[in-house]
Amino acid sequence: VCVCGGALRVYAPRASFPLAKLWGSSLFPCQRQLPCCPTSHRPTSSQPHPIWPTAMPVRGYRRSPDLHSYNLTPPQVNSILKANEYSFKVPEFDGKNVSSVMGFDSNQLPANAPIEDRRSAATCLQTRGMLLGVFDGHAGCACAQALSERLFYYVAMSLMPHETLCELEAAVEAGRPLSPILQWHKHPNDYFTREAQTMYFNSLRTYWQELIDLSSPGESLGPREALLSAFKRLDSDLSLEAQVGDANSFLHYWVLRVAFSGATACVAHIDGSDLYVANTGDGRAVLGVQEEDGSFSAHTLSNDHNAQNENEVARIQGEHPPSEKKTVVRQDRLLGLLMPFRAFGDVKFKWSIDLQRGVLESGPDQLHDNEHTKFIPPNYHTPPYLTAEPEITHHRLRPQDRFLVLGTDGLWETLHRQEVVRIVGEYLTGVHQRQPLTVGGYHVTLGQMQGLLAERKARASLAFQDQNAATHLIRHAVGNNEFGAVDHETLSKMLSLPEELARMYRDDITIIITQFNPHVVGHQRQGGES
């Protein structure tokens, strides 16, 4: 038990058994001395890329030696919190912002080393819509990494009309340069896998060729169908690439790491006043709505796919024989092992036992001595038990819809959605709505209460010290004390937990906060209605 912030706050470990969503160690663990991905590069933020980016030097997350100290100074705390923050503002034209999206702030705070979360943000140059996503990896970071690089390309292809796909294929056939598909908005620390780019491109090309064959001139998929198709097809490609393997032993090892690890995905596509959220797993999308009195309320646009969702439990039980009703979900986990009930990768819960053994036996030599390759889930009778099919929600934006929070479950485990929306809303508006001061059942004297009020008043002047809304939210998620205010001592201790302990007390946290333009949204709604 760790006691932080004096005797008033007690932290208990997040879980009594495994420290990951998958019960047990990662099947193909990332090497601690190396970045998670085999080779990565830093794309130039906000610059249109060719259809597949080129490689640049590696840069990965490194833990600061200061993390070993339990007495971090405010500048040290800020350095840790701001290390992965990123902001993007949509450009204005003639002094006006014509987009429903004003911009976004994002940030990540690792608990695992290396971090298993990933994030992506890009403008779709075909539709001018914006794609944003958070990906929560488990049993390693490989699957989340692959999603962060590939999923948006699959979505962009799915949204293209038949004629544009034909033009793309003709350019490849003729060896002509390809026009950019996405304008990426990346932080320098965001990894990119260099060696796999040719394989990724070939799989994507096969997908758009099939889209051409299945469509007719003048046809294109709507956003809902495009998101559904992209999610399912990418998961299928992850599986197929692992089964086929590669002559290059390094690539063969990489595709197996991707397929046998897993990741959830929560993705938003925003085009005009149309907001679509595609969710697979336990990431979450929450809309911040400003009420007439200036307060903010939370409107959830996704459902968690886990044991707390009765519909998900019923769905999984209904997909398997009655004899498996008591074993398919045990101890609130899929087959007693996996917390999210939908995920990419995780072929241990999708392939037959014979296929798993055949693929692993033909794999690179470094797999043969891994004890986890012999692991088969208990009561494994009628696979697949897991799907990457997303649940898709559509919301038509209104002027009172001010922002969208996408977050991995590390955020929602720490803060209630209404508290998240209140914190972000106050940050964006600059209005700090004082809540009644509660002491959580503790007996305090009048003098102690006066001291608490004085401390809160002093903190109010520093309430908006962050320049990034996601950083501000992470500061609260990690450093809130029992009175709902950020406490430096609590924050310092939580950020300085040793590497081997941090995962016991919190999860990786990844956040993207997108701010909407109410004037543009209102105009777009009027235009749509007319």
Side-chain angles (χ1 to χ4, degrees):
V1 177
C2 176
V3 180
C4 299
L8 296 181
R9 185 163 191 176
V10 179
Y11 289 93
R14 299 181 65 254
S16 58
F17 190 63
L19 306 182
K21 290 184 180 178
L22 184 64
W23 204 318
S25 303
S26 60
L27 184 63
F28 303 123
C30 301
Q31 299 302 311
R32 185 164 297 176
Q33 68 271 23
L34 298 173
C36 172
C37 304
T39 305
S40 53
H41 75 78
R42 292 180 288 168
T44 303
S45 299
S46 304
Q47 294 298 318
H49 284 224
I51 187 169
W52 224 264
T54 55
M56 291 177 66
V58 63
R59 176 165 179 172
Y61 174 78
R62 292 291 182 268
R63 278 172 28 87
S64 164
D66 294 328
L67 284 174
H68 295 289
S69 170
Y70 282 87
N71 298 296
L72 301 178
T73 65
Q76 289 173 326
V77 166
N78 287 338
S79 178
I80 295 169
L81 291 179
K82 296 174 183 291
N84 297 306
E85 69 179 7
Y86 178 82
S87 295
F88 173 75
K89 302 301 179 186
V90 175
E92 295 183 348
F93 298 93
D94 296 327
K96 295 181 180 180
N97 189 328
V98 296
S99 171
S100 58
V101 175
M102 296 178 66
F104 68 86
D105 292 338
S106 73
N107 202 348
Q108 294 184 298
L109 182 67
N112 293 289
I115 186 172
E116 293 182 340
D117 279 7
R118 293 292 185 272
R119 58 182 167 177
S120 289
T123 301
C124 183
L125 297 178
Q126 175 68 32
T127 66
R128 304 307 304 177
M130 184 164 284
L131 286 162
L132 307 123
V134 294
F135 311 101
D136 188 351
H138 49 265
C141 56
C143 187
Q145 174 60 35
L147 297 187
S148 71
E149 298 181 48
R150 306 179 66 180
L151 182 56
F152 287 4
Y153 280 116
Y154 279 69
V155 175
M157 292 299 168
S158 302
L159 288 168
M160 283 186 180
H162 177 89
E163 291 79 4
T164 305
L165 291 170
C166 290
E167 292 172 2
L168 190 64
E169 177 61 21
V172 175
E173 282 287 340
R176 298 195 303 268
L178 300 179
S179 300
I181 304 299
L182 298 171
Q183 178 185 9
W184 288 98
H185 312 298
K186 286 184 174 291
H187 187 280
N189 284 356
D190 292 342
Y191 301 115
F192 216 93
T193 316
R194 184 180 64 187
E195 286 87 349
Q197 297 309 304
T198 299
M199 179 185 64
Y200 289 174
F201 177 82
N202 290 336
S203 294
L204 183 68
R205 185 184 180 190
T206 300
Y207 178 49
W208 84 54
Q209 289 172 338
E210 293 183 14
L211 288 173
I212 292 172
D213 294 338
L214 295 173
S215 63
S216 301
E219 291 184 350
S220 62
L221 295 178
R224 182 183 298 273
E225 294 76 16
L227 288 165
L228 179 65
S229 177
F231 273 57
K232 295 174 68 174
R233 179 52 182 257
L234 178 54
D235 190 56
S236 175
D237 282 353
L238 299 182
S239 174
L240 182 61
E241 289 160 1
Q243 293 176 50
V244 173
D246 195 278
N248 182 312
S249 61
F250 182 83
L251 272 182
H252 196 171
Y253 179 60
W254 172 246
V255 296
L256 287 172
R257 283 184 59 192
V258 170
F260 279 89
S261 61
T264 66
C266 188
V267 170
H269 177 260
I270 308 166
D271 190 0
S273 59
D274 289 311
L275 166 60
Y276 285 87
V277 172
N279 186 51
T280 292
D282 51 11
R284 193 177 296 175
V286 175
L287 194 66
V289 182
Q290 189 166 28
E291 306 296 344
E292 292 183 359
D293 63 358
S295 64
F296 287 88
S297 61
H299 178 48
T300 305
L301 296 177
S302 62
N303 294 310
D304 297 347
H305 300 136
N306 54 31
Q308 281 64 55
N309 185 334
E310 295 181 357
N311 291 333
E312 275 296 287
V313 175
R315 177 187 66 81
I316 291 176
Q317 291 177 338
E319 292 175 351
H320 299 276
S323 59
E324 295 187 59
K325 185 174 183 179
K326 295 183 178 180
T327 60
V328 68
V329 176
R330 297 185 62 188
Q331 297 178 325
D332 288 344
R333 294 170 181 254
L334 184 65
L335 297 178
L337 299 174
L338 193 65
M339 289 183 67
F341 288 177
R342 302 192 194 193
F344 284 84
D346 283 321
V347 293
K348 280 286 185 181
F349 298 86
K350 297 174 180 176
W351 289 356
S352 69
I353 294 177
D354 289 341
L355 178 57
Q356 291 183 42
R357 289 173 175 166
V359 168
L360 290 172
E361 286 173 359
S362 63
D365 292 340
Q366 57 260 52
L367 296 178
H368 297 163
D369 295 330
N370 191 318
E371 60 178 293
H372 302 292
T373 61
K374 305 178 180 67
F375 163 74
I376 298 294
N379 303 299
Y380 197 78
H381 306 299
T382 56
Y385 290 88
L386 191 65
T387 179
E389 180 174 335
E391 188 173 5
I392 300 174
T393 304
H394 173 246
H395 177 80
R396 188 159 173 77
L397 291 172
R398 307 160 298 175
Q400 62 266 37
D401 299 330
R402 294 308 178 94
F403 57 88
L404 176 71
V405 180
L406 298 178
T408 54
D409 67 337
L411 170 65
W412 311 109
E413 290 173 353
T414 308
L415 292 174
H416 187 272
R417 59 182 181 178
Q418 184 57 47
E419 185 70 359
V420 166
V421 165
R422 182 190 66 80
I423 292 168
V424 175
E426 291 179 357
Y427 171 87
L428 294 177
T429 60
V431 177
H432 186 64
Q433 295 184 346
R434 296 289 179 85
Q435 304 295 320
L437 185 62
T438 60
V439 293
Y442 295 101
H443 297 286
V444 296
T445 66
L446 185 60
Q448 290 172 327
M449 179 62 76
Q450 183 179 7
L452 291 171
L453 289 170
E455 288 178 11
R456 187 171 77 168
K457 182 178 180 180
R459 285 192 298 265
S461 62
L462 301 174
F464 306 115
Q465 61 181 315
D466 295 310
Q467 301 301 309
N468 182 296
T471 304
H472 183 73
L473 184 54
I474 289 177
R475 188 183 299 273
H476 278 266
V478 179
N480 262 15
N481 61 20
E482 65 280 359
F483 305 115
V486 176
D487 177 75
H488 173 74
E489 185 178 359
T490 300
L491 193 57
S492 174
K493 289 183 178 180
M494 290 301 289
L495 292 179
S496 60
L497 286 171
E499 178 180 301
E500 61 275 9
L501 290 179
R503 186 61 180 86
M504 296 181 65
Y505 293 90
R506 59 180 177 85
D507 197 358
D508 296 331
I509 298 175
T510 298
I511 300 169
I512 300 177
I513 298 174
T514 306
Q515 190 173 1
F516 301 119
N517 189 328
H519 303 293
V520 173
V521 169
H523 179 74
Q524 290 173 338
R525 285 183 64 90
Q526 291 175 359
E529 291 170 357
S530 62

